Amino acid sequence: MADLDDPVRLGQFHSSITRLDSDGTLEQCVRDAAARADAPIALVTFVMSKVQLFRAAVGLPPELEASRATSRCDSFCQFVVKNEGPFIVTDAKTDDRVPKAMVEIYGIGSYLGVPVRTGGQVLGSLCVADGRERHWPASLVDELEVLAAKVSNRLEEMIMDDGRRTETTPGDPRELAASVAALSQVIQRSLVEVGPMVRLARGMANGMSPEALMRAASVLTEASAFYDEMMGAVTELSGSAARLQRSVAST
Amino acid sequence: MQGRALQLFRDFQRHAAQTGNAFGVCRVILLARVIPEQLTPELDDPELEKRLERAIATVEGQAVARPP
């Protein structure tokens, strides 16, 4: 069983694949998956450290189409990653293995997901979902695995293309320095906003009423999504700084 | 549109304060790559407005997607 928080797995989420612009191959794969399963929803998902990201999607409810993400703990795809294999839900309402947020809020009734991999790690899934109970045909797993292999190849390609571009065109040192400086400023500014929450957390040890403690704990549970975004920004900063280093060295 | 980025950010700040979305503002800053102090009524930057809209939709969407 895979560890969702394995740093080697989390290290596979390069910015070249987690960006949310449309990609023809990934979009085609989700359309094909939906058609083969005769399902209204099909997705390529990434199960990240705290959130599940929808990298390509058809049939999402409007709120999820806008956010393109949910909390990881609410996702069904986390089980594809944990099992490193297909995960099938026939009736989500009665299936004790799955969290109920997606069932209760978005009416997800059934699900079938297969792994999507890069660098030998399961990043997420190619999955289909329906609003009703479904007895998915056994052959569908094989069909989705063929499509998932296409998705995995495309993701590997995106990582390699980005690596080549970074390798061959380090860029103008002044532009890179400006970009590093701008991103550092954004990170610093966002941390200013976090200050009150950090003080709140420190204050929890100094005696609070149970009500205040509950409120504070509720606020702090929101920190995980911030952590994911901070990790993305810091990874990008580190990549830009490495390019700047190469750029300066080559001049 | 002139001043729209500032308006989007202020509206979100107000909404986040009302709904107790404590980490919302820092997340929008990070996702949209924006410095709030640089948003002025004169600023007219459609690209930045798009980034803000997307960031706000992401943060608010996840708040909606969270179980009650």
Side-chain angles (χ1 to χ4, degrees), chain A residues 20 63-64 66-69 74 101-102 105-106 183 185-187 189-190 193-194 197 219-220 222-223 225-226 229-230 233 236, chain B residues 9 13 20-23 25-31 33-38 54 57-62 64-68:
Chain A
L20 288 177
E63 294 96 343
L64 294 180
S67 67
R68 286 289 182 129
D74 295 333
M102 293 293 115
I105 303 172
Y106 297 108
L183 187 51
Q185 204 184 351
V186 164
I187 290 171
R189 183 61 184 81
S190 74
E193 294 288 331
V194 179
M197 272 75 82
V219 163
L220 292 169
E222 308 293 321
F226 169 72
E229 280 133 20
M230 179 57 81
E236 192 180 321
Chain B
F9 188 77
Q13 260 183 321
N21 189 354
F23 284 90
V25 173
C26 33
R27 291 184 62 203
V28 164
I29 290 172
L30 273 180
L31 285 170
R33 304 285 197 260
V34 69
I35 303 291
E37 291 71 24
Q38 291 172 359
R54 181 111 216 174
T58 299
V59 171
E60 289 189 337
Q62 283 169 14
V64 169
R66 220 166 282 127

CSV table of all heavy atoms in Angstrom, one decimal, chain A residues 20 63-64 66-69 74 101-102 105-106 183 185-187 189-190 193-194 197 219-220 222-223 225-226 229-230 233 236, chain B residues 9 13 20-23 25-31 33-38 54 57-62 64-68:
chain,number,residue,atom,x,y,z
A,20,LEU,N,-3.0,24.5,-15.0
A,20,LEU,CA,-4.4,24.1,-15.3
A,20,LEU,C,-4.8,24.4,-16.8
A,20,LEU,O,-6.0,24.4,-17.1
A,20,LEU,CB,-5.4,24.7,-14.3
A,20,LEU,CG,-5.3,24.0,-12.9
A,20,LEU,CD1,-6.3,24.7,-12.0
A,20,LEU,CD2,-5.6,22.5,-13.0
A,63,GLU,N,-19.3,24.3,-9.6
A,63,GLU,CA,-18.4,24.7,-8.6
A,63,GLU,C,-17.0,24.0,-8.7
A,63,GLU,O,-16.0,24.7,-8.5
A,63,GLU,CB,-18.9,24.4,-7.2
A,63,GLU,CG,-20.1,25.2,-6.8
A,63,GLU,CD,-21.4,24.4,-7.0
A,63,GLU,OE1,-21.3,23.3,-7.7
A,63,GLU,OE2,-22.4,24.7,-6.5
A,64,LEU,N,-17.0,22.7,-9.0
A,64,LEU,CA,-15.8,22.0,-9.1
A,64,LEU,C,-15.1,22.4,-10.4
A,64,LEU,O,-13.8,22.4,-10.5
A,64,LEU,CB,-16.0,20.5,-9.0
A,64,LEU,CG,-16.6,20.0,-7.7
A,64,LEU,CD1,-16.8,18.5,-7.7
A,64,LEU,CD2,-15.6,20.4,-6.6
A,66,ALA,N,-15.0,25.3,-11.6
A,66,ALA,CA,-14.3,26.6,-11.3
A,66,ALA,C,-13.1,26.3,-10.4
A,66,ALA,O,-12.1,26.9,-10.7
A,66,ALA,CB,-15.3,27.5,-10.6
A,67,SER,N,-13.2,25.5,-9.4
A,67,SER,CA,-12.1,25.4,-8.5
A,67,SER,C,-11.1,24.4,-9.0
A,67,SER,O,-9.9,24.5,-8.6
A,67,SER,CB,-12.6,24.9,-7.1
A,67,SER,OG,-13.2,23.6,-7.2
A,68,ARG,N,-11.5,23.4,-9.7
A,68,ARG,CA,-10.7,22.3,-10.2
A,68,ARG,C,-9.9,21.6,-9.1
A,68,ARG,O,-8.8,21.1,-9.3
A,68,ARG,CB,-9.7,22.9,-11.2
A,68,ARG,CG,-10.3,23.2,-12.6
A,68,ARG,CD,-10.6,22.0,-13.3
A,68,ARG,NE,-11.1,22.2,-14.7
A,68,ARG,CZ,-10.7,21.6,-15.8
A,68,ARG,NH1,-9.7,20.7,-15.7
A,68,ARG,NH2,-11.3,21.8,-16.9
A,69,ALA,N,-10.5,21.6,-7.9
A,69,ALA,CA,-9.8,20.9,-6.8
A,69,ALA,C,-10.8,20.6,-5.7
A,69,ALA,O,-11.9,21.3,-5.6
A,69,ALA,CB,-8.7,21.7,-6.3
A,74,ASP,N,-11.5,14.2,0.9
A,74,ASP,CA,-12.8,13.9,0.3
A,74,ASP,C,-12.8,13.0,-1.0
A,74,ASP,O,-13.8,12.7,-1.5
A,74,ASP,CB,-13.6,15.2,0.0
A,74,ASP,CG,-13.8,16.0,1.2
A,74,ASP,OD1,-14.0,15.5,2.3
A,74,ASP,OD2,-13.9,17.3,1.1
A,101,ALA,N,-18.5,13.2,1.4
A,101,ALA,CA,-18.7,14.6,1.0
A,101,ALA,C,-19.1,14.6,-0.5
A,101,ALA,O,-20.1,15.4,-0.8
A,101,ALA,CB,-17.5,15.4,1.2
A,102,MET,N,-18.5,13.9,-1.3
A,102,MET,CA,-18.8,14.0,-2.8
A,102,MET,C,-20.2,13.4,-3.1
A,102,MET,O,-20.8,13.8,-4.0
A,102,MET,CB,-17.7,13.2,-3.6
A,102,MET,CG,-16.4,13.8,-3.6
A,102,MET,SD,-16.3,15.4,-4.4
A,102,MET,CE,-15.9,16.5,-3.1
A,105,ILE,N,-22.7,16.1,-1.3
A,105,ILE,CA,-22.8,17.5,-2.0
A,105,ILE,C,-23.0,17.4,-3.5
A,105,ILE,O,-23.8,18.2,-4.0
A,105,ILE,CB,-21.5,18.3,-1.7
A,105,ILE,CG1,-21.2,18.4,-0.2
A,105,ILE,CG2,-21.5,19.7,-2.3
A,105,ILE,CD1,-19.9,19.0,0.2
A,106,TYR,N,-22.3,16.4,-4.1
A,106,TYR,CA,-22.4,16.4,-5.6
A,106,TYR,C,-23.2,15.2,-6.2
A,106,TYR,O,-23.2,15.0,-7.4
A,106,TYR,CB,-21.0,16.5,-6.2
A,106,TYR,CG,-20.4,17.8,-5.8
A,106,TYR,CD1,-19.3,17.9,-4.9
A,106,TYR,CD2,-20.9,19.0,-6.3
A,106,TYR,CE1,-18.8,19.1,-4.5
A,106,TYR,CE2,-20.3,20.2,-5.9
A,106,TYR,CZ,-19.3,20.3,-5.0
A,106,TYR,OH,-18.7,21.5,-4.6
A,183,LEU,N,8.5,36.9,-7.2
A,183,LEU,CA,7.8,35.8,-6.5
A,183,LEU,C,8.2,35.8,-5.0
A,183,LEU,O,7.4,35.5,-4.2
A,183,LEU,CB,8.3,34.5,-7.2
A,183,LEU,CG,7.6,33.2,-6.7
A,183,LEU,CD1,6.1,33.3,-6.7
A,183,LEU,CD2,8.0,32.0,-7.6
A,185,GLN,N,8.6,38.3,-3.3
A,185,GLN,CA,7.8,39.4,-2.6
A,185,GLN,C,6.4,38.8,-2.4
A,185,GLN,O,5.8,39.1,-1.3
A,185,GLN,CB,7.7,40.6,-3.6
A,185,GLN,CG,7.4,41.9,-2.9
A,185,GLN,CD,7.3,43.0,-3.9
A,185,GLN,OE1,7.6,42.9,-5.0
A,185,GLN,NE2,6.8,44.2,-3.4
A,186,VAL,N,5.9,38.1,-3.4
A,186,VAL,CA,4.5,37.5,-3.2
A,186,VAL,C,4.5,36.5,-2.0
A,186,VAL,O,3.6,36.5,-1.2
A,186,VAL,CB,4.1,36.7,-4.5
A,186,VAL,CG1,2.9,35.8,-4.2
A,186,VAL,CG2,3.8,37.7,-5.6
A,187,ILE,N,5.6,35.7,-1.9
A,187,ILE,CA,5.6,34.7,-0.8
A,187,ILE,C,5.7,35.4,0.5
A,187,ILE,O,5.0,35.1,1.5
A,187,ILE,CB,6.9,33.8,-1.0
A,187,ILE,CG1,6.6,32.8,-2.2
A,187,ILE,CG2,7.1,33.0,0.3
A,187,ILE,CD1,7.8,32.0,-2.6
A,189,ARG,N,4.7,38.4,1.2
A,189,ARG,CA,3.4,39.2,1.5
A,189,ARG,C,2.3,38.2,2.0
A,189,ARG,O,1.6,38.5,2.8
A,189,ARG,CB,3.0,39.9,0.2
A,189,ARG,CG,1.7,40.7,0.3
A,189,ARG,CD,1.9,41.8,1.4
A,189,ARG,NE,0.7,42.5,1.6
A,189,ARG,CZ,-0.3,42.1,2.4
A,189,ARG,NH1,-0.2,41.0,3.0
A,189,ARG,NH2,-1.4,42.9,2.5
A,190,SER,N,2.3,37.0,1.4
A,190,SER,CA,1.3,36.0,1.8
A,190,SER,C,1.6,35.6,3.3
A,190,SER,O,0.7,35.3,4.0
A,190,SER,CB,1.2,34.8,0.9
A,190,SER,OG,2.3,34.0,1.0
A,193,GLU,N,0.1,37.7,5.9
A,193,GLU,CA,-1.3,37.4,6.1
A,193,GLU,C,-1.5,36.2,7.1
A,193,GLU,O,-2.5,36.0,7.7
A,193,GLU,CB,-2.1,37.1,4.8
A,193,GLU,CG,-2.2,38.3,3.9
A,193,GLU,CD,-3.1,39.3,4.4
A,193,GLU,OE1,-4.1,39.0,5.1
A,193,GLU,OE2,-2.9,40.5,4.1
A,194,VAL,N,-0.5,35.3,7.1
A,194,VAL,CA,-0.5,34.1,7.9
A,194,VAL,C,-0.2,34.4,9.4
A,194,VAL,O,-0.6,33.7,10.3
A,194,VAL,CB,0.5,33.0,7.4
A,194,VAL,CG1,0.4,31.8,8.2
A,194,VAL,CG2,0.1,32.6,5.9
A,197,MET,N,-2.7,33.9,12.1
A,197,MET,CA,-3.1,32.5,12.4
A,197,MET,C,-2.0,31.8,13.2
A,197,MET,O,-2.2,30.9,14.0
A,197,MET,CB,-3.3,31.7,11.1
A,197,MET,CG,-4.7,31.8,10.6
A,197,MET,SD,-5.1,33.5,9.9
A,197,MET,CE,-4.5,33.2,8.3
A,219,VAL,N,-10.3,27.3,12.4
A,219,VAL,CA,-9.6,28.2,11.5
A,219,VAL,C,-8.3,27.5,11.0
A,219,VAL,O,-8.0,27.5,9.8
A,219,VAL,CB,-9.2,29.5,12.2
A,219,VAL,CG1,-8.1,30.2,11.5
A,219,VAL,CG2,-10.4,30.4,12.4
A,220,LEU,N,-7.6,26.8,11.9
A,220,LEU,CA,-6.3,26.2,11.5
A,220,LEU,C,-6.4,25.0,10.6
A,220,LEU,O,-5.5,24.6,10.0
A,220,LEU,CB,-5.5,25.9,12.8
A,220,LEU,CG,-5.1,27.1,13.6
A,220,LEU,CD1,-4.6,26.7,14.9
A,220,LEU,CD2,-4.1,27.9,12.8
A,222,GLU,N,-7.9,25.0,8.0
A,222,GLU,CA,-7.8,25.5,6.6
A,222,GLU,C,-6.4,25.6,6.2
A,222,GLU,O,-6.1,26.0,5.0
A,222,GLU,CB,-8.5,26.9,6.6
A,222,GLU,CG,-9.9,26.9,7.1
A,222,GLU,CD,-10.8,26.1,6.3
A,222,GLU,OE1,-10.7,26.1,5.1
A,222,GLU,OE2,-11.7,25.4,6.9
A,223,ALA,N,-5.4,25.4,7.0
A,223,ALA,CA,-4.0,25.7,6.7
A,223,ALA,C,-3.4,24.8,5.6
A,223,ALA,O,-2.5,25.2,4.9
A,223,ALA,CB,-3.1,25.6,8.0
A,225,ALA,N,-4.5,23.7,2.7
A,225,ALA,CA,-4.5,24.1,1.3
A,225,ALA,C,-3.5,25.2,1.0
A,225,ALA,O,-2.8,25.3,0.0
A,225,ALA,CB,-5.9,24.6,0.9
A,226,PHE,N,-3.3,26.1,2.0
A,226,PHE,CA,-2.3,27.1,2.0
A,226,PHE,C,-0.9,26.5,1.8
A,226,PHE,O,-0.1,27.0,1.0
A,226,PHE,CB,-2.4,28.0,3.2
A,226,PHE,CG,-1.2,29.0,3.3
A,226,PHE,CD1,-1.1,30.1,2.5
A,226,PHE,CD2,-0.2,28.8,4.3
A,226,PHE,CE1,0.0,30.9,2.5
A,226,PHE,CE2,0.8,29.7,4.4
A,226,PHE,CZ,1.0,30.7,3.5
A,229,GLU,N,-0.2,25.4,-1.7
A,229,GLU,CA,0.1,26.5,-2.6
A,229,GLU,C,1.4,27.1,-2.3
A,229,GLU,O,2.2,27.5,-3.2
A,229,GLU,CB,-1.0,27.6,-2.5
A,229,GLU,CG,-2.2,27.1,-3.4
A,229,GLU,CD,-3.5,27.2,-2.7
A,229,GLU,OE1,-3.6,28.0,-1.7
A,229,GLU,OE2,-4.5,26.6,-3.1
A,230,MET,N,1.8,27.2,-1.0
A,230,MET,CA,3.1,27.7,-0.7
A,230,MET,C,4.2,26.8,-1.2
A,230,MET,O,5.2,27.3,-1.7
A,230,MET,CB,3.2,27.8,0.9
A,230,MET,CG,4.5,28.4,1.4
A,230,MET,SD,5.0,30.0,0.7
A,230,MET,CE,4.0,31.1,1.7
A,233,ALA,N,4.6,27.5,-4.9
A,233,ALA,CA,5.3,28.8,-5.1
A,233,ALA,C,6.8,28.7,-4.8
A,233,ALA,O,7.7,29.2,-5.5
A,233,ALA,CB,4.7,29.9,-4.2
A,236,GLU,N,8.5,26.7,-7.5
A,236,GLU,CA,8.7,27.6,-8.7
A,236,GLU,C,9.9,28.6,-8.4
A,236,GLU,O,10.7,28.8,-9.3
A,236,GLU,CB,7.4,28.4,-8.9
A,236,GLU,CG,7.5,29.1,-10.3
A,236,GLU,CD,6.2,29.8,-10.5
A,236,GLU,OE1,5.1,29.3,-10.2
A,236,GLU,OE2,6.2,30.9,-11.1
B,9,PHE,N,-10.3,42.0,-5.5
B,9,PHE,CA,-9.5,41.7,-4.2
B,9,PHE,C,-10.2,42.1,-3.0
B,9,PHE,O,-10.4,41.4,-2.0
B,9,PHE,CB,-8.1,42.2,-4.3
B,9,PHE,CG,-7.2,41.7,-3.2
B,9,PHE,CD1,-6.7,40.5,-3.2
B,9,PHE,CD2,-7.0,42.5,-2.1
B,9,PHE,CE1,-5.9,40.0,-2.2
B,9,PHE,CE2,-6.2,42.1,-1.0
B,9,PHE,CZ,-5.6,40.8,-1.1
B,13,GLN,N,-11.7,40.0,0.0
B,13,GLN,CA,-11.3,40.2,1.4
B,13,GLN,C,-12.5,40.3,2.3
B,13,GLN,O,-12.5,39.7,3.4
B,13,GLN,CB,-10.5,41.5,1.5
B,13,GLN,CG,-9.0,41.4,1.5
B,13,GLN,CD,-8.3,42.7,1.7
B,13,GLN,OE1,-8.8,43.7,1.1
B,13,GLN,NE2,-7.3,42.7,2.4
B,20,GLY,N,-15.3,33.7,7.6
B,20,GLY,CA,-14.3,33.1,8.4
B,20,GLY,C,-13.3,32.3,7.7
B,20,GLY,O,-12.7,31.4,8.2
B,21,ASN,N,-13.1,32.6,6.4
B,21,ASN,CA,-12.1,31.9,5.6
B,21,ASN,C,-10.7,32.6,5.8
B,21,ASN,O,-10.2,33.4,5.1
B,21,ASN,CB,-12.5,32.1,4.1
B,21,ASN,CG,-11.6,31.2,3.2
B,21,ASN,OD1,-10.7,30.5,3.6
B,21,ASN,ND2,-12.0,31.1,1.9
B,22,ALA,N,-10.1,32.1,7.0
B,22,ALA,CA,-8.9,32.8,7.5
B,22,ALA,C,-7.7,32.8,6.5
B,22,ALA,O,-7.0,33.7,6.4
B,22,ALA,CB,-8.5,32.2,8.8
B,23,PHE,N,-7.6,31.7,5.8
B,23,PHE,CA,-6.4,31.5,5.0
B,23,PHE,C,-6.7,32.0,3.5
B,23,PHE,O,-5.8,31.9,2.7
B,23,PHE,CB,-5.9,30.1,5.0
B,23,PHE,CG,-5.1,29.7,6.2
B,23,PHE,CD1,-5.8,29.2,7.3
B,23,PHE,CD2,-3.8,29.9,6.3
B,23,PHE,CE1,-5.1,28.9,8.5
B,23,PHE,CE2,-3.1,29.6,7.5
B,23,PHE,CZ,-3.7,29.1,8.6
B,25,VAL,N,-7.2,34.9,2.1
B,25,VAL,CA,-6.5,36.0,1.5
B,25,VAL,C,-5.0,35.6,1.1
B,25,VAL,O,-4.5,35.9,0.0
B,25,VAL,CB,-6.5,37.3,2.4
B,25,VAL,CG1,-5.6,38.4,1.8
B,25,VAL,CG2,-7.9,37.8,2.5
B,26,CYS,N,-4.4,34.9,2.0
B,26,CYS,CA,-3.0,34.5,1.7
B,26,CYS,C,-3.0,33.5,0.5
B,26,CYS,O,-2.0,33.5,-0.3
B,26,CYS,CB,-2.2,34.0,2.9
B,26,CYS,SG,-3.1,33.1,4.1
B,27,ARG,N,-4.0,32.7,0.4
B,27,ARG,CA,-4.0,31.8,-0.7
B,27,ARG,C,-4.3,32.5,-2.0
B,27,ARG,O,-3.6,32.2,-3.1
B,27,ARG,CB,-5.1,30.7,-0.5
B,27,ARG,CG,-4.9,29.8,0.7
B,27,ARG,CD,-5.9,28.7,0.8
B,27,ARG,NE,-6.0,27.9,-0.4
B,27,ARG,CZ,-7.0,27.2,-0.8
B,27,ARG,NH1,-8.1,27.2,-0.1
B,27,ARG,NH2,-7.0,26.5,-1.9
B,28,VAL,N,-5.1,33.5,-2.0
B,28,VAL,CA,-5.4,34.3,-3.2
B,28,VAL,C,-4.1,35.0,-3.7
B,28,VAL,O,-3.8,35.1,-4.8
B,28,VAL,CB,-6.6,35.2,-3.1
B,28,VAL,CG1,-6.6,36.3,-4.2
B,28,VAL,CG2,-7.9,34.4,-3.1
B,29,ILE,N,-3.4,35.6,-2.7
B,29,ILE,CA,-2.1,36.3,-3.0
B,29,ILE,C,-1.2,35.3,-3.7
B,29,ILE,O,-0.6,35.6,-4.7
B,29,ILE,CB,-1.5,36.8,-1.7
B,29,ILE,CG1,-2.3,38.0,-1.2
B,29,ILE,CG2,0.0,37.3,-1.9
B,29,ILE,CD1,-1.9,38.5,0.2
B,30,LEU,N,-1.1,34.1,-3.1
B,30,LEU,CA,-0.1,33.1,-3.7
B,30,LEU,C,-0.6,32.6,-5.1
B,30,LEU,O,0.2,32.5,-6.0
B,30,LEU,CB,0.0,31.9,-2.8
B,30,LEU,CG,1.0,32.0,-1.6
B,30,LEU,CD1,0.9,30.7,-0.8
B,30,LEU,CD2,2.4,32.2,-2.2
B,31,LEU,N,-1.9,32.3,-5.2
B,31,LEU,CA,-2.4,31.7,-6.4
B,31,LEU,C,-2.3,32.7,-7.6
B,31,LEU,O,-2.0,32.4,-8.7
B,31,LEU,CB,-3.8,31.2,-6.3
B,31,LEU,CG,-3.9,29.9,-5.5
B,31,LEU,CD1,-5.4,29.6,-5.2
B,31,LEU,CD2,-3.4,28.7,-6.3
B,33,ARG,N,-0.5,35.4,-7.6
B,33,ARG,CA,0.8,36.1,-7.7
B,33,ARG,C,0.6,37.6,-7.6
B,33,ARG,O,1.1,38.3,-8.5
B,33,ARG,CB,1.6,35.7,-8.9
B,33,ARG,CG,1.8,34.2,-9.1
B,33,ARG,CD,2.9,33.7,-8.1
B,33,ARG,NE,3.4,32.4,-8.5
B,33,ARG,CZ,3.0,31.3,-7.9
B,33,ARG,NH1,2.1,31.3,-7.0
B,33,ARG,NH2,3.6,30.1,-8.3
B,34,VAL,N,0.0,38.1,-6.6
B,34,VAL,CA,-0.4,39.5,-6.5
B,34,VAL,C,0.1,40.1,-5.2
B,34,VAL,O,0.1,39.4,-4.2
B,34,VAL,CB,-1.9,39.6,-6.7
B,34,VAL,CG1,-2.7,39.0,-5.5
B,34,VAL,CG2,-2.4,41.0,-7.0
B,35,ILE,N,0.5,41.4,-5.3
B,35,ILE,CA,0.8,42.1,-4.1
B,35,ILE,C,-0.3,43.1,-3.9
B,35,ILE,O,-0.5,44.0,-4.7
B,35,ILE,CB,2.1,42.9,-4.2
B,35,ILE,CG1,3.3,42.0,-4.6
B,35,ILE,CG2,2.5,43.7,-3.0
B,35,ILE,CD1,3.7,41.0,-3.5
B,36,PRO,N,-1.1,42.9,-2.8
B,36,PRO,CA,-2.3,43.8,-2.6
B,36,PRO,C,-2.0,45.3,-2.7
B,36,PRO,O,-2.8,46.0,-3.3
B,36,PRO,CB,-2.8,43.4,-1.2
B,36,PRO,CG,-2.3,42.0,-1.0
B,36,PRO,CD,-1.0,41.9,-1.7
B,37,GLU,N,-0.9,45.7,-2.1
B,37,GLU,CA,-0.6,47.1,-2.1
B,37,GLU,C,-0.3,47.7,-3.5
B,37,GLU,O,-0.3,48.9,-3.7
B,37,GLU,CB,0.7,47.4,-1.3
B,37,GLU,CG,0.4,47.1,0.2
B,37,GLU,CD,0.3,45.7,0.6
B,37,GLU,OE1,0.8,44.8,-0.1
B,37,GLU,OE2,-0.4,45.4,1.6
B,38,GLN,N,-0.1,46.8,-4.5
B,38,GLN,CA,0.2,47.3,-5.9
B,38,GLN,C,-1.1,47.4,-6.7
B,38,GLN,O,-1.1,47.8,-7.8
B,38,GLN,CB,1.1,46.3,-6.6
B,38,GLN,CG,2.5,46.4,-6.0
B,38,GLN,CD,3.5,45.4,-6.5
B,38,GLN,OE1,3.1,44.6,-7.4
B,38,GLN,NE2,4.7,45.4,-6.1
B,54,ARG,N,-9.5,33.5,-11.2
B,54,ARG,CA,-9.3,32.1,-11.1
B,54,ARG,C,-8.9,31.7,-9.7
B,54,ARG,O,-9.4,30.7,-9.2
B,54,ARG,CB,-8.1,31.7,-12.1
B,54,ARG,CG,-7.8,30.3,-12.1
B,54,ARG,CD,-8.2,29.7,-13.5
B,54,ARG,NE,-8.6,28.3,-13.2
B,54,ARG,CZ,-9.1,27.6,-14.2
B,54,ARG,NH1,-9.3,28.0,-15.3
B,54,ARG,NH2,-9.5,26.3,-13.9
B,57,ALA,N,-12.0,31.9,-7.5
B,57,ALA,CA,-12.9,30.8,-7.8
B,57,ALA,C,-12.3,29.5,-7.1
B,57,ALA,O,-13.1,28.7,-6.6
B,57,ALA,CB,-13.0,30.6,-9.3
B,58,THR,N,-11.0,29.3,-7.2
B,58,THR,CA,-10.4,28.1,-6.6
B,58,THR,C,-10.6,28.1,-5.1
B,58,THR,O,-11.1,27.1,-4.5
B,58,THR,CB,-8.9,28.1,-6.9
B,58,THR,OG1,-8.7,28.0,-8.3
B,58,THR,CG2,-8.2,26.9,-6.3
B,59,VAL,N,-10.3,29.2,-4.4
B,59,VAL,CA,-10.4,29.3,-3.0
B,59,VAL,C,-11.9,29.2,-2.5
B,59,VAL,O,-12.2,28.4,-1.6
B,59,VAL,CB,-9.8,30.6,-2.4
B,59,VAL,CG1,-10.0,30.7,-1.0
B,59,VAL,CG2,-8.3,30.5,-2.7
B,60,GLU,N,-12.8,29.9,-3.2
B,60,GLU,CA,-14.2,29.8,-2.8
B,60,GLU,C,-14.8,28.5,-3.2
B,60,GLU,O,-15.6,27.9,-2.5
B,60,GLU,CB,-14.9,30.9,-3.5
B,60,GLU,CG,-14.6,32.3,-2.9
B,60,GLU,CD,-15.5,33.4,-3.3
B,60,GLU,OE1,-16.0,33.3,-4.4
B,60,GLU,OE2,-15.5,34.4,-2.6
B,61,GLY,N,-14.3,27.9,-4.3
B,61,GLY,CA,-14.8,26.6,-4.8
B,61,GLY,C,-14.5,25.5,-3.8
B,61,GLY,O,-15.3,24.7,-3.5
B,62,GLN,N,-13.3,25.6,-3.2
B,62,GLN,CA,-12.9,24.6,-2.3
B,62,GLN,C,-13.7,24.7,-1.0
B,62,GLN,O,-14.0,23.8,-0.3
B,62,GLN,CB,-11.4,24.6,-2.0
B,62,GLN,CG,-10.7,23.9,-3.1
B,62,GLN,CD,-9.2,24.2,-3.1
B,62,GLN,OE1,-8.7,24.6,-2.1
B,62,GLN,NE2,-8.5,23.9,-4.2
B,64,VAL,N,-16.7,25.7,-0.9
B,64,VAL,CA,-18.0,25.2,-1.2
B,64,VAL,C,-18.0,23.6,-1.2
B,64,VAL,O,-18.8,23.0,-0.7
B,64,VAL,CB,-18.5,25.6,-2.6
B,64,VAL,CG1,-19.7,24.9,-3.0
B,64,VAL,CG2,-18.8,27.1,-2.5
B,65,ALA,N,-16.8,23.1,-1.7
B,65,ALA,CA,-16.7,21.7,-1.8
B,65,ALA,C,-16.5,21.0,-0.5
B,65,ALA,O,-16.6,19.8,-0.4
B,65,ALA,CB,-15.5,21.3,-2.8
B,66,ARG,N,-16.1,21.8,0.5
B,66,ARG,CA,-15.8,21.1,1.8
B,66,ARG,C,-17.1,20.6,2.5
B,66,ARG,O,-18.1,21.3,2.3
B,66,ARG,CB,-15.2,22.2,2.7
B,66,ARG,CG,-14.1,21.6,3.6
B,66,ARG,CD,-13.3,22.8,4.2
B,66,ARG,NE,-12.4,23.4,3.2
B,66,ARG,CZ,-12.3,24.7,3.0
B,66,ARG,NH1,-13.1,25.5,3.6
B,66,ARG,NH2,-11.5,25.1,2.1
B,67,PRO,N,-17.1,19.5,3.1
B,67,PRO,CA,-18.3,19.0,3.7
B,67,PRO,C,-18.8,19.9,4.8
B,67,PRO,O,-18.0,20.5,5.5
B,67,PRO,CB,-17.9,17.6,4.3
B,67,PRO,CG,-16.4,17.6,4.4
B,67,PRO,CD,-15.9,18.6,3.3
B,68,PRO,N,-20.1,20.0,5.0
B,68,PRO,CA,-20.6,20.9,6.0
B,68,PRO,C,-20.2,20.4,7.4
B,68,PRO,O,-20.0,19.3,7.6
B,68,PRO,CB,-22.1,20.8,5.8
B,68,PRO,CG,-22.4,19.5,5.0
B,68,PRO,CD,-21.1,19.2,4.3
